[in-house]
Every structure is written in structure tokens, then in C-alpha cells.
Amino acid sequence: MSDWILGLIEQSGYLGVGFLMFLETVFPPIPSEVIMSLTGIAAAQGRIYLPFAIAAGTAGAMLGNILWYLAARALGHDRLKPFVKRHGKWLTVNWKDVEKAHRWFDRYGVWIVLVGRVMPTIRSLISVPAGLLDMRFRNFVIASTIGTAIWTTLLAVAGYKLRENYADIDQWITPVSNIVLVLLVGGYLLRLILHKVDLD
């Protein structure tokens, strides 16, 4: 897989980097950790220029982020209500929770999206609530671009510095990703239990 990614970057250059990051954001077959760290290696080998590669990766990811945002925005806040009423038991949310989240996004949406973009697992999902909860498009783009640029820069620079030892990146990214995933699942299970208690 790594040889294929490096080959695509070598053949297509910055367009290849952007395409891979777009693909990862829309339908993640390959994690960004692999794509951008290998991009950093390609830059270290002189195949591409690191700042341009980071810009290409950020742009590709942003196209995917905007696509998800627009899809969620098209679904709309109002259309969400029947879905929440029907499946709220398993979602562990009710309409009051949605309205509360809406107010949070109105007040802190920029920071929620910006921080979410640099958190493994969450970073690819944050576009959906931002769109559903009617976050202003301009604010979404600004916060997402900053957060995505930070994420792609960290990964690309790590690959650039470690060169062929890019597997070392997994030694700190994978545990963080697993911790975030465990917290998300644990939080959901806790909410599910408490939600059932409230219903009883």
C-alpha cells in the first residue's frame, strides 16, 4: 500500500496528494496518517516540495470536509427532528439535546470544529454536526482549514523528519486514536444506560 501511495505521489505530484486526502475524507480507505507521513517522506526524498505538498493535502481534505458539510446542511436541522424522535432511544439524544447542541455550535462552533480537526477519529466526522446544526459556512471553512492545515503539517513534517521510519509515527498516533475511540464508545454506552434509566 505504501509503495502504491508513493508511486501515485511520484506520478501525479500535488494532485495525487490532494486526491488521496479528498478520498480519505469522503470515504476513508487509507488513513491520513499514512498519506501525509508518506507525503513527507516523498518530500524528504526530493520528489516534491514540502510546503506545496502540505497545501495540496489540506486543499484535498477541505474539499471532502465541505462535501460532508453541504450534504448535512442539505438534510437540514428540521428534517433531523423526525429521525431523532424515531431513533432517539438508540442515539441517546432527544430534541432538547439537539437544540442545546445547536446553541453550543452557535456560540463555540469555531473552536469545536478547529479542535475536532486535529483529533483522530473525530476529525473526519465533525463536518456532519456542523452542517446539521447550521454552522455558518464561512466560520466552518475558516476553522476547518486551520485545523486541517495543522493536522496535515504535523503528519507531513513527522514523515519528513523520520523519512523511511514512518512506522514510528504509529507509535504515538495509534494509541491516541484508540483512546479517543474507547472514550467515544464508552461515552455512548454510558449515555445509553443513563438514557434507559431516565425512560424508566
Side-chain angles (χ1 to χ4, degrees):
M1 182 65 72
S2 60
D3 291 337
W4 176 77
I5 294 174
L6 284 172
L8 181 61
I9 293 172
E10 184 175 2
Q11 292 175 12
S12 304
Y14 307 111
L15 287 177
V17 175
F19 171 74
L20 286 168
M21 286 300 289
F22 170 78
L23 194 64
E24 182 272 338
T25 305
V26 175
F27 180 71
I30 310 168
S32 59
E33 293 88 342
V34 174
I35 297 168
M36 291 310 301
S37 61
L38 288 174
T39 298
I41 291 173
Q45 294 172 345
R47 302 182 188 184
I48 51 177
Y49 184 48
L50 185 62
F52 290 170
I54 291 171
T58 300
M62 279 304 302
L63 286 176
N65 294 336
I66 291 171
L67 182 64
W68 275 116
Y69 170 88
L70 293 177
R73 192 70 182 261
L75 176 62
H77 178 261
D78 294 334
R79 292 181 184 177
L80 186 63
K81 193 169 187 177
F83 183 82
V84 170
K85 285 186 175 181
R86 178 176 296 181
H87 303 287
K89 177 181 178 181
W90 303 110
L91 295 172
T92 68
V93 296
N94 54 42
W95 193 244
K96 288 184 178 179
D97 294 328
V98 174
E99 291 177 333
K100 182 178 180 180
H102 200 167
R103 290 192 295 270
W104 268 75
F105 259 85
D106 285 341
R107 184 174 297 181
Y108 306 112
V110 169
W111 291 107
I112 293 172
V113 171
L114 195 155
V115 173
R117 287 291 177 219
V118 295
M119 294 185 67
T121 305
I122 294 175
R123 59 174 299 278
S124 297
L125 305 174
I126 197 65
S127 299
V128 175
L132 285 175
L133 299 175
D134 303 318
M135 183 178 181
R136 292 183 64 182
F137 182 69
R138 183 187 66 180
N139 292 344
F140 170 80
V141 170
I142 292 172
S144 289
T145 301
I146 295 172
T148 300
I150 292 172
W151 179 253
T152 55
T153 299
L154 288 173
L155 294 175
V157 170
Y160 186 90
K161 295 293 186 182
L162 292 173
R163 298 177 187 266
E164 300 299 337
N165 297 320
Y166 76 93
D168 293 343
I169 298 172
D170 284 341
Q171 293 182 3
W172 61 272
I173 289 182
T174 299
V176 172
S177 299
N178 291 337
I179 290 171
V180 172
L181 186 59
V182 168
L183 289 175
L184 288 174
V185 173
Y188 167 75
L189 293 175
L190 180 61
R191 283 182 61 86
L192 186 60
I193 293 170
L194 294 177
H195 190 71
K196 287 184 176 180
V197 170
D198 289 340
L199 290 176
D200 295 339

